[in-house]
């Protein structure tokens, strides 16, 4: 989709620090990390947010997030898996993405 920075990353028009890629998804480190481990898992298809995603893509994205978190050393102490949605969820990039944050203890509740 035009004017979507994550679609630009998928197309290679914008650089990223890649964690993983397959036919349907890509994972890369967040440009403004909020934890020692902070990466995003996104579908290659432009899906604006979780409200427009189907069961298959959600299951697949979350499973990949879980596997990658484990590979990056977050299995023992845990991590946070976050999907922000639209204005009330604090979503700033309108291309579905799962945040994975690990490597430190995180506070709760969010502000
Ligand atoms: P949201 O607020 O929509 O849940 O999260 C969007 C995330 O994308 C933010 O954490 C932000 O730092 C990250 N981000 C925005 N632009 C870029 C970029 O060009 N490259 C990378 N790697 N991350 C980005
Ligand atoms: Zn997009």
């Amino acid at each position: 989709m035009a004017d979507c920075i994550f679609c630009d990353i998928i197309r290679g028009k914008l650089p990223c620090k890649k964690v993983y890629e397959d036919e349907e998804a890509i994972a890369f480190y967040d440009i403004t990390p909020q934890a020692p481990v902070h990466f995003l898992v996104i579908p290659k298809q432009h899906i604006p947010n979780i409200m427009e995603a189907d069961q298959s893509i959600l299951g697949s994205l979350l499973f990949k997030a879980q596997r990658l978190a484990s590979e990056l050393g977050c299995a023992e102490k845990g991590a946070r898996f976050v999907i922000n949605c639209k204005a009330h969820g604090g979503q700033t990039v309108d291309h579905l993405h799962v945040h994975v944050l690990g490597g430190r203890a995180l506070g709760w509740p969010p502000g």
Side-chain angles (χ1 to χ4, degrees):
M1 192 197 191
D3 298 330
C4 172
I5 52 174
F6 286 179
C7 282
D8 284 346
I9 286 175
I10 291 161
R11 287 191 210 103
K13 281 176 65 185
L14 266 183
C16 73
K17 207 172 150 198
K18 199 183 295 177
V19 172
Y20 172 84
E21 181 170 14
D22 63 23
E23 325 75 56
E24 70 160 15
I26 181 168
F28 52 90
Y29 287 103
D30 197 290
I31 204 167
T32 313
Q34 302 300 316
V37 176
H38 185 183
F39 63 90
L40 308 171
V41 188
I42 75 171
K44 286 190 171 173
Q45 184 188 354
H46 180 85
I47 299 168
N49 57 63
I50 191 175
M51 297 302 178
E52 302 194 33
D54 64 21
Q55 183 175 351
S56 164
I57 194 72
L58 283 178
S60 170
L61 281 181
L62 268 183
F63 188 70
K64 283 166 193 169
Q66 178 237 68
R67 295 313 315 153
L68 292 169
S70 186
E71 283 170 22
L72 291 173
C74 298
E76 189 192 342
K77 291 196 169 171
R80 185 164 298 163
F81 300 79
V82 175
I83 301 177
N84 295 323
C85 181
K86 299 191 181 179
H88 280 187
Q91 184 176 6
T92 59
V93 176
D94 292 331
H95 182 128
L96 175 63
H97 48 282
V98 180
H99 291 260
V100 179
L101 301 115
R104 71 171 173 91
L106 300 164
W108 190 266

